Each structure stands twice: as structure tokens, then as C-alpha cells.
Amino acid sequence: RKEVEQDPGPFNVPEGATVAFNCTYSNSASQSFFWYRQDCRKEPKLLMSVYSSGNEDGRFTAQLNRASQYISLLIRDSKLSDSATYLCATSGGYNKLIFGAGTRLAVHP
Amino acid sequence: DAGVTQSPTHLIKTRGQHVTLRCSPISGHKSVSWYQQVLGQGPQFIFQYYEKEERGRGNFPDRFSARQFPNYSSELNVNALLLGDSALYLCASSSAGARDTQYFGPGTRLTVL
């Protein structure tokens, strides 16, 4: 079993839709969780950090469920510019991140 | 302030050659981590350096090595290149006490022919 697993998608949604991604992790000792956004052939950019039960930033909400060992990312009112790959990551030691393979999102008009 | 910078942006090598990739962290950041990202996968951890010392190593062969300099910049070296080393190599920096939050550079895209 991979340490961090994500549904690869793609998720194809219309503008304005709400979309949610889940990410499961296997290491119950993980303390820090992150969502990164990665555009095609670019570097991952930090979207949100999650240390406790959840975090919200505008249209984006991340939630952590330690009992079931998953984190989720909810995007409300999707924009065309939200089209990207969303990477989930957990901490695997000091400044070591363990990434999932990413979930692709395509927002269409 | 400048973000993480990496050089070169692109590189083409042939099998058996060696390559050196460079990274400069965000000003004030003392920790640098290296990741390899092959197409369709998430980044895989290679090394982490803090204050010029190796603090973590991923599951990569000894052909991969790295170091960090007094100014906190870093080099990743790969010897005896294989076709499978073709990937985007990402450098990330973080500050002390940042609870693992890392910021990535634009990466070096390495193609091995």
C-alpha cells in the first residue's frame, strides 16, 4: 500500500461547481498535512497547510480526519483557473514530505 | 524577495554521464530538500539538508549525492545516469520551525537519452 493515496481523476466539472478530493495516508504518526497545486510542467505551489482538524482559505477548505486517516480538499465555485493537478502530502520526518500521485481537475465553461 | 531558484532549467544528457543540479533557497531559509518527480507521479524525496548536514535520505541509489554550502545553497549530483533518471528535479526550502512547510523552486527538467 502506498503511504499517500489519491484518486488520479480526472475530475471534469463545470465552472461554478463544488468539487472535493480525498487523500488517504498510512502513517498514523503524521503531524502535518499539505495540499499543493501543480500546473502542467511547473513546480508544486503550496495551497494549504493542515495541522489540526481543518483550514479554510476563501473558496478552499481542507479537512483532516485522523481517525480515518484522510484529508480532503473542497473547492467551491470552481473557476477555469482552478484546472490543475492537486497534490496531497504528509510529513514523513523533518522537512521530508511524502506525496500522493495527484488528482487532476479540469474545469470547463 | 526571490523564491527558490534552480539551475539549469533544462538539461539533456546521455546514459553514463553525470549531472550537477543547483539550488538557492529563499533568503533566510536554512533547510533544503531535493525531490524527483517522474511524469504522472508525485515528487519523491531524495535528500534533506539543514545547516550543511544531511538530515534525511530517501530510497535512492548511491549514484545520487548532494551537499549544502555555507550560504545554504545546495547541489544534487547524479552519476552514471540511467534512462530512468529522466525527471523533474525539484528543490524545496523551508525555515526553522516552519512545521515542514516547504516552498518549491521551478525545477530542473533532466532528459537522459
Side-chain angles (χ1 to χ4, degrees):
Chain A
R1 181 186 172 189
K2 292 183 180 179
E3 292 186 75
V4 178
E5 295 199 74
Q6 298 182 249
D7 181 342
F11 284 64
N12 293 298
V13 302
E15 276 186 288
T18 295
V19 62
F21 311 134
N22 276 344
C23 166
T24 59
Y25 61 94
S26 61
N27 184 359
S28 59
S30 294
Q31 295 294 314
S32 306
F33 305 87
F34 305 89
W35 283 102
Y36 282 83
R37 170 203 169 117
Q38 186 171 32
D39 293 294
C40 188
R41 302 181 74 82
K42 299 284 190 180
E43 75 273 25
K45 290 191 186 298
L46 182 65
L47 186 62
M48 300 185 79
S49 306
V50 186
Y51 302 113
S52 56
S53 60
N55 195 5
E56 184 172 330
D57 183 6
R59 297 183 295 110
F60 299 85
T61 300
Q63 291 196 313
L64 168 63
N65 184 318
R66 288 191 184 274
S68 300
Q69 294 185 208
Y70 75 84
I71 61 172
S72 63
L73 178 68
L74 182 77
I75 305 176
R76 291 180 295 275
D77 189 22
S78 297
K79 312 290 185 190
L80 293 176
S81 57
D82 293 333
S83 298
T85 295
Y86 290 83
L87 295 164
C88 164
T90 71
S91 59
Y94 183 74
N95 279 329
K96 171 187 175 182
L97 294 179
I98 301 170
F99 284 88
T103 297
R104 284 196 296 130
L105 172 65
V107 182
H108 57 83
Chain B
D1 281 343
V4 179
T5 60
Q6 292 186 243
S7 64
T9 51
H10 295 85
L11 206 49
I12 299 175
K13 293 285 190 179
T14 56
R15 281 177 294 177
Q17 288 188 309
H18 118 278
V19 68
T20 297
L21 311 180
R22 295 178 176 84
C23 169
S24 291
I26 292 170
S27 177
H29 286 191
K30 299 181 179 180
S31 173
V32 168
S33 299
W34 287 95
Y35 293 82
Q36 179 197 66
Q37 187 176 24
V38 299
L39 201 61
Q41 298 296 317
Q44 297 287 311
F45 173 77
I46 309 175
F47 286 110
Q48 192 259 328
Y49 277 78
Y50 179 74
E51 291 279 17
K52 302 183 295 277
E53 289 190 8
E54 181 184 304
R55 296 294 184 92
R57 173 185 284 255
N59 188 22
F60 280 80
D62 292 344
R63 300 184 295 108
F64 289 77
S65 63
R67 54 180 176 167
Q68 187 177 33
F69 299 99
N71 66 354
Y72 306 110
S73 67
S74 179
E75 281 183 355
L76 174 71
N77 293 283
V78 187
N79 293 323
L81 286 167
L82 303 174
L83 296 179
D85 295 332
S86 295
L88 180 67
Y89 287 85
L90 295 159
C91 172
S93 79
S94 62
S95 60
R99 299 187 71 177
D100 303 313
T101 301
Q102 297 186 37
Y103 300 92
F104 285 86
T108 294
R109 189 163 298 279
L110 172 65
T111 301
V112 182
L113 302 176

PDB file of all heavy atoms in Angstrom, chain A residues 73-93:
ATOM      1  N   LEU A  73      -9.970  18.038   0.319  1.00  0.00           N
ATOM      2  CA  LEU A  73      -9.902  19.410  -0.180  1.00  0.00           C
ATOM      3  C   LEU A  73     -11.203  19.689  -0.898  1.00  0.00           C
ATOM      4  O   LEU A  73     -11.583  18.945  -1.811  1.00  0.00           O
ATOM      5  CB  LEU A  73      -8.727  19.602  -1.131  1.00  0.00           C
ATOM      6  CG  LEU A  73      -8.602  20.989  -1.751  1.00  0.00           C
ATOM      7  CD1 LEU A  73      -8.244  22.027  -0.680  1.00  0.00           C
ATOM      8  CD2 LEU A  73      -7.568  21.004  -2.872  1.00  0.00           C
ATOM      9  N   LEU A  74     -11.883  20.743  -0.482  1.00  0.00           N
ATOM     10  CA  LEU A  74     -13.138  21.152  -1.091  1.00  0.00           C
ATOM     11  C   LEU A  74     -12.909  22.472  -1.812  1.00  0.00           C
ATOM     12  O   LEU A  74     -12.364  23.412  -1.222  1.00  0.00           O
ATOM     13  CB  LEU A  74     -14.215  21.324  -0.022  1.00  0.00           C
ATOM     14  CG  LEU A  74     -15.617  21.707  -0.496  1.00  0.00           C
ATOM     15  CD1 LEU A  74     -16.314  20.488  -1.072  1.00  0.00           C
ATOM     16  CD2 LEU A  74     -16.436  22.297   0.641  1.00  0.00           C
ATOM     17  N   ILE A  75     -13.299  22.523  -3.065  1.00  0.00           N
ATOM     18  CA  ILE A  75     -13.204  23.764  -3.834  1.00  0.00           C
ATOM     19  C   ILE A  75     -14.622  24.180  -4.203  1.00  0.00           C
ATOM     20  O   ILE A  75     -15.344  23.437  -4.868  1.00  0.00           O
ATOM     21  CB  ILE A  75     -12.363  23.574  -5.118  1.00  0.00           C
ATOM     22  CG1 ILE A  75     -10.980  23.017  -4.786  1.00  0.00           C
ATOM     23  CG2 ILE A  75     -12.250  24.907  -5.858  1.00  0.00           C
ATOM     24  CD1 ILE A  75     -10.138  22.704  -6.022  1.00  0.00           C
ATOM     25  N   ARG A  76     -15.003  25.359  -3.748  1.00  0.00           N
ATOM     26  CA  ARG A  76     -16.335  25.885  -4.067  1.00  0.00           C
ATOM     27  C   ARG A  76     -16.241  26.854  -5.227  1.00  0.00           C
ATOM     28  O   ARG A  76     -15.197  27.480  -5.459  1.00  0.00           O
ATOM     29  CB  ARG A  76     -16.920  26.597  -2.850  1.00  0.00           C
ATOM     30  CG  ARG A  76     -17.289  25.679  -1.698  1.00  0.00           C
ATOM     31  CD  ARG A  76     -17.871  26.493  -0.531  1.00  0.00           C
ATOM     32  NE  ARG A  76     -16.862  27.386   0.026  1.00  0.00           N
ATOM     33  CZ  ARG A  76     -15.990  27.013   0.936  1.00  0.00           C
ATOM     34  NH1 ARG A  76     -15.969  25.767   1.382  1.00  0.00           N
ATOM     35  NH2 ARG A  76     -15.107  27.878   1.394  1.00  0.00           N
ATOM     36  N   ASP A  77     -17.355  26.992  -5.971  1.00  0.00           N
ATOM     37  CA  ASP A  77     -17.424  27.970  -7.061  1.00  0.00           C
ATOM     38  C   ASP A  77     -16.204  27.847  -7.976  1.00  0.00           C
ATOM     39  O   ASP A  77     -15.441  28.805  -8.171  1.00  0.00           O
ATOM     40  CB  ASP A  77     -17.529  29.380  -6.480  1.00  0.00           C
ATOM     41  CG  ASP A  77     -17.828  30.437  -7.528  1.00  0.00           C
ATOM     42  OD1 ASP A  77     -18.362  30.073  -8.595  1.00  0.00           O
ATOM     43  OD2 ASP A  77     -17.505  31.620  -7.295  1.00  0.00           O
ATOM     44  N   SER A  78     -15.997  26.684  -8.544  1.00  0.00           N
ATOM     45  CA  SER A  78     -14.817  26.402  -9.355  1.00  0.00           C
ATOM     46  C   SER A  78     -14.643  27.423 -10.474  1.00  0.00           C
ATOM     47  O   SER A  78     -15.611  27.833 -11.128  1.00  0.00           O
ATOM     48  CB  SER A  78     -14.930  24.999  -9.965  1.00  0.00           C
ATOM     49  OG  SER A  78     -14.957  24.026  -8.972  1.00  0.00           O
ATOM     50  N   LYS A  79     -13.396  27.801 -10.694  1.00  0.00           N
ATOM     51  CA  LYS A  79     -13.031  28.713 -11.788  1.00  0.00           C
ATOM     52  C   LYS A  79     -12.219  27.942 -12.823  1.00  0.00           C
ATOM     53  O   LYS A  79     -11.582  26.930 -12.499  1.00  0.00           O
ATOM     54  CB  LYS A  79     -12.162  29.867 -11.257  1.00  0.00           C
ATOM     55  CG  LYS A  79     -12.671  30.552 -10.007  1.00  0.00           C
ATOM     56  CD  LYS A  79     -13.905  31.356 -10.281  1.00  0.00           C
ATOM     57  CE  LYS A  79     -14.321  32.141  -9.033  1.00  0.00           C
ATOM     58  NZ  LYS A  79     -15.676  32.747  -9.206  1.00  0.00           N
ATOM     59  N   LEU A  80     -12.215  28.456 -14.040  1.00  0.00           N
ATOM     60  CA  LEU A  80     -11.398  27.835 -15.086  1.00  0.00           C
ATOM     61  C   LEU A  80      -9.944  27.747 -14.635  1.00  0.00           C
ATOM     62  O   LEU A  80      -9.240  26.769 -14.916  1.00  0.00           O
ATOM     63  CB  LEU A  80     -11.487  28.635 -16.392  1.00  0.00           C
ATOM     64  CG  LEU A  80     -12.838  28.654 -17.094  1.00  0.00           C
ATOM     65  CD1 LEU A  80     -12.779  29.579 -18.308  1.00  0.00           C
ATOM     66  CD2 LEU A  80     -13.264  27.259 -17.503  1.00  0.00           C
ATOM     67  N   SER A  81      -9.499  28.764 -13.904  1.00  0.00           N
ATOM     68  CA  SER A  81      -8.103  28.832 -13.464  1.00  0.00           C
ATOM     69  C   SER A  81      -7.775  27.812 -12.368  1.00  0.00           C
ATOM     70  O   SER A  81      -6.605  27.655 -12.005  1.00  0.00           O
ATOM     71  CB  SER A  81      -7.774  30.244 -12.961  1.00  0.00           C
ATOM     72  OG  SER A  81      -8.662  30.599 -11.901  1.00  0.00           O
ATOM     73  N   ASP A  82      -8.785  27.127 -11.851  1.00  0.00           N
ATOM     74  CA  ASP A  82      -8.518  26.083 -10.856  1.00  0.00           C
ATOM     75  C   ASP A  82      -8.050  24.782 -11.516  1.00  0.00           C
ATOM     76  O   ASP A  82      -7.617  23.857 -10.828  1.00  0.00           O
ATOM     77  CB  ASP A  82      -9.786  25.780 -10.035  1.00  0.00           C
ATOM     78  CG  ASP A  82     -10.211  26.937  -9.143  1.00  0.00           C
ATOM     79  OD1 ASP A  82      -9.329  27.744  -8.748  1.00  0.00           O
ATOM     80  OD2 ASP A  82     -11.417  27.043  -8.837  1.00  0.00           O
ATOM     81  N   SER A  83      -8.136  24.692 -12.826  1.00  0.00           N
ATOM     82  CA  SER A  83      -7.701  23.493 -13.541  1.00  0.00           C
ATOM     83  C   SER A  83      -6.212  23.269 -13.289  1.00  0.00           C
ATOM     84  O   SER A  83      -5.384  24.131 -13.585  1.00  0.00           O
ATOM     85  CB  SER A  83      -7.954  23.625 -15.044  1.00  0.00           C
ATOM     86  OG  SER A  83      -9.333  23.756 -15.302  1.00  0.00           O
ATOM     87  N   ALA A  84      -5.889  22.118 -12.718  1.00  0.00           N
ATOM     88  CA  ALA A  84      -4.517  21.813 -12.322  1.00  0.00           C
ATOM     89  C   ALA A  84      -4.510  20.408 -11.728  1.00  0.00           C
ATOM     90  O   ALA A  84      -5.548  19.749 -11.635  1.00  0.00           O
ATOM     91  CB  ALA A  84      -4.005  22.817 -11.284  1.00  0.00           C
ATOM     92  N   THR A  85      -3.335  19.975 -11.305  1.00  0.00           N
ATOM     93  CA  THR A  85      -3.222  18.749 -10.517  1.00  0.00           C
ATOM     94  C   THR A  85      -3.046  19.136  -9.062  1.00  0.00           C
ATOM     95  O   THR A  85      -2.238  20.022  -8.744  1.00  0.00           O
ATOM     96  CB  THR A  85      -2.024  17.895 -10.984  1.00  0.00           C
ATOM     97  OG1 THR A  85      -2.266  17.451 -12.313  1.00  0.00           O
ATOM     98  CG2 THR A  85      -1.842  16.689 -10.086  1.00  0.00           C
ATOM     99  N   TYR A  86      -3.791  18.494  -8.187  1.00  0.00           N
ATOM    100  CA  TYR A  86      -3.745  18.793  -6.755  1.00  0.00           C
ATOM    101  C   TYR A  86      -3.038  17.641  -6.043  1.00  0.00           C
ATOM    102  O   TYR A  86      -3.465  16.493  -6.089  1.00  0.00           O
ATOM    103  CB  TYR A  86      -5.154  19.042  -6.217  1.00  0.00           C
ATOM    104  CG  TYR A  86      -5.706  20.337  -6.751  1.00  0.00           C
ATOM    105  CD1 TYR A  86      -6.311  20.386  -8.007  1.00  0.00           C
ATOM    106  CD2 TYR A  86      -5.565  21.525  -6.039  1.00  0.00           C
ATOM    107  CE1 TYR A  86      -6.767  21.589  -8.536  1.00  0.00           C
ATOM    108  CE2 TYR A  86      -6.025  22.727  -6.555  1.00  0.00           C
ATOM    109  CZ  TYR A  86      -6.619  22.753  -7.802  1.00  0.00           C
ATOM    110  OH  TYR A  86      -7.060  23.942  -8.324  1.00  0.00           O
ATOM    111  N   LEU A  87      -1.930  17.989  -5.401  1.00  0.00           N
ATOM    112  CA  LEU A  87      -1.091  17.014  -4.711  1.00  0.00           C
ATOM    113  C   LEU A  87      -1.323  17.086  -3.205  1.00  0.00           C
ATOM    114  O   LEU A  87      -1.287  18.164  -2.621  1.00  0.00           O
ATOM    115  CB  LEU A  87       0.395  17.297  -4.987  1.00  0.00           C
ATOM    116  CG  LEU A  87       0.884  17.151  -6.422  1.00  0.00           C
ATOM    117  CD1 LEU A  87       2.230  17.838  -6.585  1.00  0.00           C
ATOM    118  CD2 LEU A  87       0.997  15.689  -6.793  1.00  0.00           C
ATOM    119  N   CYS A  88      -1.518  15.946  -2.626  1.00  0.00           N
ATOM    120  CA  CYS A  88      -1.645  15.827  -1.177  1.00  0.00           C
ATOM    121  C   CYS A  88      -0.294  15.369  -0.634  1.00  0.00           C
ATOM    122  O   CYS A  88       0.392  14.563  -1.278  1.00  0.00           O
ATOM    123  CB  CYS A  88      -2.738  14.793  -0.895  1.00  0.00           C
ATOM    124  SG  CYS A  88      -2.794  14.151   0.758  1.00  0.00           S
ATOM    125  N   ALA A  89       0.111  15.885   0.512  1.00  0.00           N
ATOM    126  CA  ALA A  89       1.387  15.482   1.099  1.00  0.00           C
ATOM    127  C   ALA A  89       1.277  15.406   2.610  1.00  0.00           C
ATOM    128  O   ALA A  89       0.544  16.186   3.227  1.00  0.00           O
ATOM    129  CB  ALA A  89       2.497  16.460   0.709  1.00  0.00           C
ATOM    130  N   THR A  90       2.013  14.468   3.195  1.00  0.00           N
ATOM    131  CA  THR A  90       2.110  14.386   4.650  1.00  0.00           C
ATOM    132  C   THR A  90       3.577  14.466   5.042  1.00  0.00           C
ATOM    133  O   THR A  90       4.461  14.224   4.219  1.00  0.00           O
ATOM    134  CB  THR A  90       1.527  13.070   5.195  1.00  0.00           C
ATOM    135  OG1 THR A  90       2.393  11.980   4.841  1.00  0.00           O
ATOM    136  CG2 THR A  90       0.152  12.795   4.649  1.00  0.00           C
ATOM    137  N   SER A  91       3.811  14.785   6.290  1.00  0.00           N
ATOM    138  CA  SER A  91       5.189  14.847   6.763  1.00  0.00           C
ATOM    139  C   SER A  91       5.674  13.436   7.068  1.00  0.00           C
ATOM    140  O   SER A  91       4.973  12.646   7.700  1.00  0.00           O
ATOM    141  CB  SER A  91       5.294  15.716   8.012  1.00  0.00           C
ATOM    142  OG  SER A  91       4.473  15.191   9.043  1.00  0.00           O
ATOM    143  N   GLY A  92       6.904  13.160   6.606  1.00  0.00           N
ATOM    144  CA  GLY A  92       7.476  11.839   6.858  1.00  0.00           C
ATOM    145  C   GLY A  92       8.761  11.934   7.650  1.00  0.00           C
ATOM    146  O   GLY A  92       9.609  11.061   7.572  1.00  0.00           O
ATOM    147  N   GLY A  93       8.886  13.009   8.403  1.00  0.00           N
ATOM    148  CA  GLY A  93      10.121  13.278   9.130  1.00  0.00           C
ATOM    149  C   GLY A  93      10.450  14.739   8.943  1.00  0.00           C
ATOM    150  O   GLY A  93       9.745  15.453   8.233  1.00  0.00           O
TER     151      GLY A  93
END
